Amino acid sequence: MLIFGKPMGEKYHTRSIETGTYDYDETRFVTEGVLTDRRFKEFHLATGDVKKPGVLHQMVVRLLVNKADLVIEDLETEMRAVPREECRDCTHCLDGIKGARVVGGFTAKVKEIAGGVKGCSHLAALLTAMGPAVIQGYGAYCDHNIPDFVLDHYEFLVNTCRNWREDSPIVAMLKEKREAKRKAGGQGGGDGRPER
């Protein structure tokens, strides 16, 4: 494979973040995130210790999220692999996110709670990536369980990317469909946000 016009070199490192959203009960769902840093060459820790290729970091965060308002009701953190035992001192550095809503400004809230010396940069990176995953999981839940969810609440997506810009063809189509539904006696409408 070519990268920037040159054959790809040897791989040194990968970081993967995988998320999944699962039903929990009638009012809540769980979004789980796993961050894994893997080294493909022998490497040295800051202490000078030599480590064989393998997993350097693996951390798991689970969020218990309210379906009605996207408030994080509870959080679990697991540090499966860390380079130093002292890293585990940060296991609870994300606890301050409990009670927060996953809405605009979520990333800033994560940085305020666990950024810099307040916490672990890996856990903060994972939780930051989980904000959009919560929204996608919520959308998947609603799409499966609530007829016409996207039609009735598409404002939730407007201006989140180029294809969903306010003057895009898809937004125009949804406006037309919503108006037709309204004229036909259906409800439609809403502010595009989860109920409070």
Side-chain angles (χ1 to χ4, degrees):
M1 172 187 276
L2 294 178
I3 297 180
F4 303 114
K6 197 177 166 190
M8 184 185 295
E10 289 186 272
K11 187 184 287 186
Y12 295 117
H13 169 262
T14 59
R15 168 171 285 187
S16 64
I17 294 178
E18 183 174 343
T19 61
T21 299
Y22 310 90
D23 202 27
Y24 184 76
D25 60 25
E26 287 187 19
T27 61
R28 297 169 297 181
F29 62 87
V30 171
T31 295
E32 178 183 68
V34 181
L35 177 147
T36 305
D37 280 333
R38 184 178 299 276
R39 297 283 176 93
F40 291 87
K41 302 282 184 185
E42 189 176 83
F43 63 98
H44 301 83
L45 297 178
T47 57
D49 295 334
V50 178
K51 299 292 245 180
K52 293 182 185 283
V55 173
L56 177 63
H57 302 102
Q58 187 168 68
M59 291 146 182
V60 181
V61 173
R62 294 179 197 92
L63 303 175
L64 183 62
V65 182
N66 189 292
K67 293 174 184 174
D69 54 15
L70 299 185
V71 167
I72 297 170
E73 293 186 0
D74 205 355
L75 170 139
E76 291 180 349
T77 304
E78 213 182 311
M79 295 180 118
R80 292 179 180 165
V82 291
R84 299 176 54 78
E85 279 306 304
E86 293 90 335
C87 295
R88 297 184 195 283
D89 294 345
C90 293
T91 300
H92 297 287
C93 70
L94 302 179
D95 286 355
I97 205 73
K98 293 177 191 175
R101 281 184 78 207
V102 183
V103 293
F106 183 73
T107 297
K109 183 77 172 167
V110 172
K111 288 180 180 176
E112 175 188 321
I113 289 168
V117 298
K118 297 179 198 168
C120 167
S121 63
H122 304 90
L123 286 173
L126 176 55
L127 185 56
T128 298
M130 290 176 69
V134 166
I135 301 299
Q136 288 292 325
Y138 171 72
Y141 162 79
C142 291
D143 188 49
H144 180 71
N145 292 290
I146 304 170
D148 287 339
F149 174 76
V150 173
L151 180 61
D152 293 340
H153 300 284
Y154 67 83
E155 291 88 354
F156 198 68
L157 297 167
V158 172
N159 294 326
T160 58
C161 75
R162 178 170 171 73
N163 287 330
W164 281 97
R165 67 190 182 281
E166 198 167 342
D167 62 349
S168 71
I170 191 153
V171 172
M173 178 199 67
L174 288 169
K175 284 180 182 177
E176 287 177 24
K177 283 187 171 187
R178 182 187 283 173
E179 182 59 21
K181 180 180 174 182
R182 188 191 62 76
K183 286 180 180 176
Q187 293 184 0
D191 64 3
R193 293 192 175 99
E195 294 176 9
R196 294 178 191 244

